[in-house]
């Protein structure tokens, strides 16, 4: 598991990972679970497209409480991932 994956799961309560091939042929990894985002609790879904040749991935879509997040909201959620990780690491030091 990559560091980014480990950071993601610290944000989610009962995270669930799913891998599938989209109708477009793209390889998709989906992470879902409950989170607290902008002081609201709800269900979130993050979708990543995986490039198997380069072994890289890109974040393609995010939903929170069944609403697609805009780019600014996506950046805020990704920032939360790193902030939550850092807080939990400091707690163990």
């Amino acid at each position: 598991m990559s560091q980014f994956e480990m950071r993601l799961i610290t944000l989610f309560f009962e995270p669930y990972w799913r891998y599938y091939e989209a109708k477009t042929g793209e390889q998709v990894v989906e992470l879902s679970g409950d989170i607290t985002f902008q002081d609201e609790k709800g269900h979130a879904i993050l979708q990543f497209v995986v490039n198997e040749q380069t072994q890289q991935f890109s974040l393609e879509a995010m939903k929170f409480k069944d609403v697609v997040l805009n780019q600014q909201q996506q950046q805020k959620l990704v920032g939360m991932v790193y902030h939550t990780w850092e807080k939990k690491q400091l707690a163990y030091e």
Side-chain angles (χ1 to χ4, degrees), residues 35 37-38 40 59 62-64 67-80:
I35 65 169
F37 179 59
Q38 298 180 329
E40 291 186 51
L59 182 57
M62 288 186 190
K63 275 181 156 181
F64 178 67
V67 176
V68 176
L69 301 182
N70 64 34
Q71 188 173 10
Q72 184 179 15
Q73 292 168 315
Q74 289 181 15
Q75 289 173 347
K76 187 170 186 173
L77 195 145
V78 170
M80 277 181 46

Side-chain angles (χ1 to χ4, degrees), residues 1 5 7 16 21-22 24-25 27-29 36 43 52 55-56 58-59 63 72-75 78 80 82 85-86 91:
M1 185 174 291
E5 290 169 320
R7 290 176 182 184
Y16 176 75
E21 184 173 325
T24 60
Q27 306 302 309
V28 178
V29 174
T36 300
H43 192 76
E52 291 185 20
Q55 296 186 343
Q56 295 182 351
S58 60
L59 182 57
K63 275 181 156 181
Q72 184 179 15
Q73 292 168 315
Q74 289 181 15
Q75 289 173 347
V78 170
M80 277 181 46
Y82 285 93
W85 173 262
E86 288 173 6

Side-chain angles (χ1 to χ4, degrees), residues 18-60:
R18 179 170 84 113
Y19 173 83
Y20 62 93
E21 184 173 325
K23 292 177 183 177
T24 60
E26 295 174 306
Q27 306 302 309
V28 178
V29 174
E30 184 175 280
L31 171 62
S32 62
D34 293 333
I35 65 169
T36 300
F37 179 59
Q38 298 180 329
D39 297 323
E40 291 186 51
K41 290 184 179 183
H43 192 76
I45 300 172
L46 283 67
Q47 291 180 335
F48 303 88
V49 171
V50 179
N51 183 326
E52 291 185 20
Q53 293 175 339
T54 63
Q55 296 186 343
Q56 295 182 351
F57 63 91
S58 60
L59 182 57
E60 293 297 318

